[in-house]
Amino acid sequence: MESGQPVFEAIGLTKKYEDETLALDHVSFSVRAGEIFAMLGGNGAGKTTTINLFLNFIEPTEGEARINGIASHKDPLTAKRNVAFVSENVMLYPNFTALQNLDYFSRLGGKTQYSKENYHAVLRRVGLQEEAHTKRLRGFSKGMRQKCGIAIAILKDAPAILLDEPTSGLDPQAGFEFIELLRSLRDDGKSILMSTHDIFRAKEVADVVGIMNRGKLIMQKHAAELAGHDLEELYMKYIAGHIRDAA
Ligand SMILES: Nc1ncnc2c1ncn2[C@@H]1O[C@H](COP(=O)(O)OP(=O)(O)OP(=O)(O)O)[C@@H](O)[C@H]1O
Ligand SMILES: [Mg+2]
């Protein structure tokens, strides 16, 4: 793929659920390699719907969600090979240790080349304390499970990373460390699309911030355009403006 091509691309992405809820209304954006795009927006704005469309968990009513140029609903297998997903509630095996979970999910994804040392190394990278590597996940805190989830995503070594509210429920230090980790993945050339309710962290880490409201992307700005602005104020202004316009 030519450099500078979008890794994530939403083109007129529209989703109307069976009950006629218009969850997404012609949303378009792109995220390149080495870029973090943070989606902000209130409950029900359409963030998870957007993520689920990229993963082909649901089909678009109109438009396309492309990963590396591949429309997710047309070639889901290839599209999914190019993306690693970390959900808010990481689904891992409670009876397996951290190492066993990494091994299981890597093999499931067709990666058989990793050694035990590779697993230890990635768990160190995500900041999981050494003694937890060989413990069953059953007793892990949310932050520890999140670290295992992102470790599995790193091992998948996909160019695209999708995260749905990755820092929700993490304590301040874990949230900070997670953001540092996203930065290092971005520096490795990954393209990252995440949803979050954390305006402060979004401003801190994102190269582009998008604000969604009732299925529409009502603001999209690069970090440089946001510098010197209070993103929280901007967020309130955009949402209020959108509600006014809709009235
Ligand atoms: N399976 C579904 N069937 C019908 N409507 C749905 C379905 N999933 C989501 N919706 C609706 O679509 C809209 C967008 O929901 P979505 O989950 O994408 O929002 P979100 O931005 O992720 O919200 P939150 O911040 O609460 O996670 C909401 O009105 C929601 O009720
Ligand atoms: Mg959501």
Side-chain angles (χ1 to χ4, degrees), residues 152-228:
I152 289 166
I154 291 171
L155 290 168
K156 185 165 181 186
D157 199 24
I161 300 176
L162 274 173
L163 305 132
D164 201 2
E165 297 188 31
T167 55
S168 97
L170 296 191
D171 70 44
Q173 193 193 343
F176 173 81
E177 286 171 4
F178 195 83
I179 291 299
E180 286 288 295
L181 187 62
L182 289 187
R183 284 205 181 99
S184 86
L185 290 169
R186 183 237 328 257
D187 294 345
D188 287 348
K190 303 292 185 194
S191 182
I192 299 172
L193 172 59
M194 62 186 277
S195 78
T196 182
H197 288 298
D198 191 334
I199 293 182
F200 171 73
R201 298 232 185 270
K203 172 147 191 201
E204 218 182 16
V205 74
D207 298 285
V208 184
V209 173
I211 298 178
M212 302 202 42
N213 188 50
R214 297 171 184 233
K216 289 199 168 79
L217 189 58
I218 58 169
M219 189 211 87
Q220 201 180 157
K221 283 189 192 298
H222 276 89
E225 301 171 82
L226 291 171

Side-chain angles (χ1 to χ4, degrees), residues 7-11 13-15 17 23-25 27-29 31 36-42 44-60 64-67 70-73 76 79-80 82-89 146 160-168 178 182 191-197 210 212 215 217:
V7 176
F8 288 105
E9 197 173 13
I11 305 166
L13 198 57
T14 301
K15 178 65 186 181
Y17 285 105
L24 269 195
D25 188 2
V27 164
S28 298
F29 63 84
V31 193
I36 300 177
F37 185 103
M39 286 188 281
L40 292 171
K47 302 177 300 294
T48 298
T49 298
T50 304
I51 289 170
N52 288 346
L53 284 162
F54 275 104
L55 292 163
N56 194 49
F57 289 163
I58 50 174
E59 291 227 342
E64 292 190 351
R66 293 186 187 164
I67 296 171
I70 301 149
S72 284
H73 69 293
K80 275 190 224 180
N82 282 290
V83 66
F85 171 54
V86 183
S87 70
E88 188 199 346
N89 295 300
Q146 189 79 330
I161 300 176
L162 274 173
L163 305 132
D164 201 2
E165 297 188 31
T167 55
S168 97
F178 195 83
L182 289 187
S191 182
I192 299 172
L193 172 59
M194 62 186 277
S195 78
T196 182
H197 288 298
M212 302 202 42
L217 189 58

